[in-house]
Amino acid sequence: MTFSMKRVMAIFQKDMKDLSKNIYITSTLILPLFFAFFYGRMDNLTIDVHYMVINLVLAVVTSFVQCAIIAEEKEKNTLRGLMLSPATLPEILGGKSLVSFILTIGTILICTMLTDYEPVNLSLVALAIIISILFYIALGTLMGLLSRSVVEASVLIMPVIFIFGFSSMFQPFAEEYPILSVVDYLPSIQLIEVAAAVESGSGFADVVGNLAIIFVWVLVAMVATAIVYKKREMDE
Amino acid sequence: MAILIMKDIEKHEKDTILFPSFHLEIAASEITAVYSTLNVRSTILDMLTGSIPSINGSIMINGVTLANKKSDYFSQVGICYFEDGLYERLTIKDYFMFIGRLYGFNQQYDSIFRITQLHEKRNKQIKELTFSEKKRVHYGKLLIQSPPLFIFEEPDLNVDMETKRIFISITKRLQEEKKAVLLLTGNMETAITIADNVYRLDENGLRLIQTENAEQTMELSEDEPNEDNKDKEPQPIQFNKIPTKVNDKIVLFDPPEIDYIESNDGQANIYIKGEAFTSSLTLANLEERLQYVGFFRCHRSYIVNLQKVREVITWTRNSYSLVLDDREKTQIPLSKTKMAELKDLLGLK
């Protein structure tokens, strides 16, 4: 099995063109942009607010777009044609992940411009965000494999938005209910911790633990995706 | 050389036999149609793609089996499913270019647009197209793919006349390019008009339905004694009602009510306003009775009421169809030899 970049690009371009005309999916981009615009009007934003917007982008844009474009292929009966073509599954998912990735980066850039967020150490923050994106892409792929239609996808995405997008809101409760301290290990909270540490002048060595935790999430999501895929293949 | 070889393929479902073991080979530049029910058809397609295992038998396409190497196998075959999806928001051009990149197509797209006659609509989104135009996009996809074996499932069901004509010319073109074509259809007219070899596949197995080539020789030997008979004893009284069986009742029909008659496994099915009635008579018997009241044997397995024919379509130099004047605009195959006869009958040269 050869991995052909040409086919990945073909799928990437096709999905980009398709998505640019898909109002249902692109309209979800408006939600984080609206939040960013809304908060951007206020002064002295804390790092938590900046990252609430970024985490929202990750949940709403990255996961949902990835999930929806996979689910739509199933809904419209086009996945079969794709599977019978020379394109292999890694190529198909690669092309789709690239779409979600670029869309996410673009939305995050616009959002940070709107909220005037300027990290002290850009490369470190960028690294943390990119690892997070990998997690959300894997999560989106997992949900895409589970859902059969775009409508199902938008139902599945709800808990994801709730858990990962608004997780910073649970933190105050964690002191009251110790069980909720698990929340601290969520990738979204870890991302905020990295950013907060960077703001206070920490270097790579200080945040490597947090990055590792996010990376474990990436691995868990990828393994879960692979298991679901294998299981589905057996069922059918 | 045979492109597709299906050996000892069979399928049992619980207590019933879907189809018993059969053997089918399709050579290059051969168009073969398999006439079957939906159930049989989807089983065959699933076996070809490997989603249903063909336990005792084997399927080989261009020397490659599915077990051999999956990607090689699928590069040998292009399947046009009846219910295939398209990327509705893409334009036809973008879609073709996507397929082209996927399959490493490096020729001009213009020829694909020309063959499918979608040139004027190339920049339209696929969702704006009619059903027939979408079908043509499917044909175009397969042409870009250009595998040695083309499989079409119900390629011309519910399409307009223009699209059917395009489809027939595509099959002829594929034949010239030495491709093998397999049609899976539930429409006998399609099968007979397009394919060289027509098979029926059901619980009784795979049987060849005789079409033109076999027909010509048989006709000659049959016809002559018949004509002698007619001269000798012209029948004085004609009882013109045609008996059919509905459950246990016998229903008599007036010949002018009948649209056409189709032979189905030695039995004649009489079609009246889209409904089929089984007749106990054979097609030859019926022909004899009906030829004096404006009926015409237009094909080995068809008799048509000429009063109901609206149009004669010429698809290519030697494939024709008759279109009836009913609501569905039913199409009936007209064989090449019968075309000449019909022209005589109509007083055309």
Side-chain angles (χ1 to χ4, degrees):
Chain A
M1 224 183 267
T2 50
F3 188 82
S4 150
M5 211 53 214
K6 211 174 134 203
R7 290 197 284 267
V8 174
M9 287 316 285
I11 291 167
F12 167 71
Q13 284 175 7
K14 184 268 296 175
D15 274 322
M16 269 312 212
K17 277 178 195 157
D18 194 52
L19 213 54
S20 65
K21 291 168 192 159
N22 190 341
I23 296 167
Y24 186 77
I25 293 178
T26 44
S27 63
T28 57
L29 298 183
I30 294 170
L31 183 69
L33 288 176
F34 172 76
F35 270 89
F37 180 72
F38 182 72
Y39 286 122
R41 306 289 292 270
M42 301 198 285
D43 295 330
N44 297 328
L45 294 179
T46 61
I47 202 84
D48 275 354
V49 174
H50 285 305
Y51 275 85
M52 204 189 100
V53 172
I54 291 179
N55 276 328
L56 197 64
V57 173
L58 291 171
V60 172
V61 179
T62 323
S63 288
F64 181 66
V65 168
Q66 179 78 1
C67 175
I69 56 183
I70 294 173
E72 197 181 20
E73 295 266 7
K74 288 196 200 169
E75 187 184 349
K76 295 274 168 67
N77 257 335
T78 47
L79 193 61
R80 178 173 56 187
L82 223 47
M83 297 299 276
L84 291 179
S85 78
T88 57
L89 192 79
E91 287 164 2
I92 297 171
L93 293 182
K96 292 193 180 300
S97 305
L98 205 56
V99 173
S100 317
F101 186 81
I102 287 178
L103 226 55
T104 310
I105 298 281
T107 319
I108 287 181
L109 284 179
I110 297 172
C111 284
T112 49
M113 261 154 46
L114 284 171
T115 55
D116 279 331
Y117 172 55
E118 274 171 23
V120 179
N121 187 342
L122 184 66
S123 53
L124 201 53
V125 167
L127 179 69
I129 289 180
I130 287 172
I131 298 178
S132 300
I133 291 177
L134 291 182
F135 164 71
Y136 286 96
I137 285 179
L139 187 66
T141 309
L142 176 66
M143 290 188 301
L145 291 175
L146 290 173
S147 55
R148 276 159 306 188
S149 67
V150 178
V151 177
E152 260 188 54
S154 48
V155 174
L156 272 179
I157 201 72
M158 278 304 160
V160 173
I161 295 177
F162 192 66
I163 295 172
F164 296 110
F166 295 107
S167 50
S168 55
M169 290 183 178
F170 301 136
Q171 267 188 316
F173 295 110
E175 284 151 26
E176 219 171 308
Y177 306 101
I179 188 110
L180 278 177
S181 60
V182 191
V183 168
D184 285 345
Y185 292 99
L186 286 178
S188 45
I189 303 294
Q190 291 297 320
L191 181 61
I192 298 178
E193 279 179 16
V194 171
V198 166
E199 253 357 77
S200 57
S202 307
F204 181 76
D206 300 311
V207 295
V208 74
N210 302 88
L211 290 179
I213 293 178
I214 303 179
F215 201 72
V216 169
W217 279 94
V218 176
L219 290 181
V220 169
M222 281 180 169
V223 169
T225 308
I227 291 172
V228 167
Y229 175 71
K230 282 280 171 229
K231 197 168 178 313
R232 286 276 150 137
E233 203 178 38
M234 301 283 186
D235 289 349
E236 277 158 18
Chain B
M1 191 201 130
I3 300 280
L4 172 71
I5 303 173
M6 297 179 85
K7 217 165 95 188
D8 301 329
I9 299 296
E10 60 185 326
K11 176 76 185 167
H12 300 260
E13 224 168 43
K14 289 173 192 144
D15 291 337
T16 55
I17 301 172
L18 204 53
F19 49 84
S21 173
F22 73 85
H23 182 98
L24 177 67
E25 282 189 23
I26 304 178
S29 34
E30 211 172 60
I31 305 177
T32 298
V34 173
Y35 169 84
S36 66
T37 59
L38 177 74
N39 206 352
V40 171
R41 196 168 72 221
S42 50
T43 308
I44 294 281
L45 278 170
D46 283 347
M47 282 181 163
L48 280 163
T49 56
S51 21
I52 295 180
S54 34
I55 302 160
N56 299 321
S58 65
I59 297 176
M60 194 185 272
I61 302 177
N62 219 356
V64 190
T65 62
L66 189 61
N68 234 339
K69 199 162 178 239
K70 212 171 164 180
S71 54
D72 268 1
Y73 176 84
F74 283 119
S75 65
Q76 305 297 330
V77 55
I79 305 177
C80 175
Y81 286 98
F82 178 60
E83 279 178 339
D84 237 353
L86 292 167
Y87 298 102
E88 305 246 305
R89 282 178 293 267
L90 293 185
T91 62
I92 302 176
K93 197 175 160 198
D94 284 341
Y95 179 69
F96 279 177
M97 275 164 67
F98 165 61
I99 296 295
R101 280 202 206 101
L102 219 51
Y103 285 93
F105 177 76
N106 44 20
Q107 292 163 41
Q108 288 297 312
Y109 289 95
D110 278 349
S111 68
I112 304 290
F113 284 119
R114 207 175 45 244
I115 298 167
T116 54
Q117 300 192 13
L118 289 166
H119 215 279
E120 287 161 28
K121 311 226 166 179
R122 58 200 287 175
N123 289 321
K124 271 207 166 165
Q125 284 186 32
I126 290 175
K127 65 177 170 201
E128 290 168 25
L129 303 178
T130 64
F131 175 82
S132 298
E133 285 162 348
K134 281 182 193 166
K135 268 275 125 120
R136 264 138 68 188
V137 175
H138 282 301
Y139 304 157
K141 178 193 169 210
L142 239 60
L143 287 172
I144 292 173
Q145 203 176 328
S146 193
L149 173 67
F150 284 69
I151 298 176
F152 293 95
E153 182 194 14
E154 290 292 11
D156 64 344
L157 189 68
N158 302 336
V159 300
D160 57 23
M161 219 64 115
E162 187 194 7
T163 305
K164 184 163 181 181
R165 194 181 293 277
I166 290 169
F167 180 69
I168 291 175
S169 71
I170 287 175
T171 56
K172 296 287 169 234
R173 198 187 165 89
L174 292 178
Q175 206 166 17
E176 280 162 24
E177 288 171 6
K178 304 243 181 303
K179 305 285 188 189
V181 180
L182 173 62
L183 298 176
L184 298 169
T185 176
N187 183 348
M188 186 57 94
E189 194 269 338
T190 302
I192 290 176
T193 312
I194 298 170
D196 308 322
N197 307 314
V198 181
Y199 294 92
R200 181 197 300 274
L201 179 62
D202 54 23
E203 66 277 5
N204 298 322
L206 185 78
R207 279 155 306 148
L208 186 70
I209 294 173
Q210 285 185 324
T211 48
E212 227 157 286
N213 299 335
E215 180 185 328
Q216 285 170 353
T217 48
M218 293 189 59
E219 292 284 315
L220 286 175
S221 54
E222 261 176 31
D223 274 354
E224 280 165 33
N226 269 353
E227 270 167 34
D228 289 345
N229 283 345
K230 274 175 229 153
D231 291 341
K232 274 175 202 160
E233 36 175 311
Q235 287 171 326
I237 306 169
Q238 282 269 218
F239 172 66
N240 263 339
K241 292 258 185 174
I242 302 299
T244 62
K245 265 187 162 166
V246 181
N247 299 330
D248 286 333
K249 277 185 279 183
I250 292 178
V251 182
L252 301 178
F253 284 111
D254 262 337
E257 288 180 284
I258 298 170
D259 293 333
Y260 65 99
I261 302 163
E262 186 186 68
S263 143
N264 186 348
D265 256 334
Q267 236 179 4
N269 279 341
I270 297 181
Y271 284 84
I272 293 162
K273 294 205 170 97
E275 262 185 273
F277 299 89
T278 329
S279 167
S280 40
L281 300 171
T282 64
L283 214 58
N285 268 331
L286 284 167
E287 187 192 5
E288 208 173 293
R289 283 185 178 215
L290 290 169
Q291 60 185 342
Y292 303 107
V293 285
F295 279 72
F296 176 64
R297 181 85 175 256
C298 55
H299 187 273
R300 214 188 136 74
S301 356
Y302 285 91
I303 297 177
V304 69
N305 183 353
L306 280 180
Q307 304 296 328
K308 306 251 176 162
V309 175
R310 163 67 68 201
E311 205 178 325
V312 182
I313 312 174
T314 310
W315 301 117
T316 61
R317 241 180 320 114
N318 40 26
S319 79
Y320 311 94
S321 287
L322 296 170
V323 181
L324 298 192
D325 192 14
D326 58 359
R327 220 168 344 118
E328 292 86 27
K329 301 227 179 321
T330 317
Q331 293 178 10
I332 295 173
L334 171 64
S335 59
K336 191 182 167 191
T337 39
K338 297 293 184 177
M339 179 65 180
E341 235 175 272
L342 181 67
K343 275 188 175 167
D344 279 348
L345 210 66
L346 297 173
L348 298 167
K349 210 232 89 137

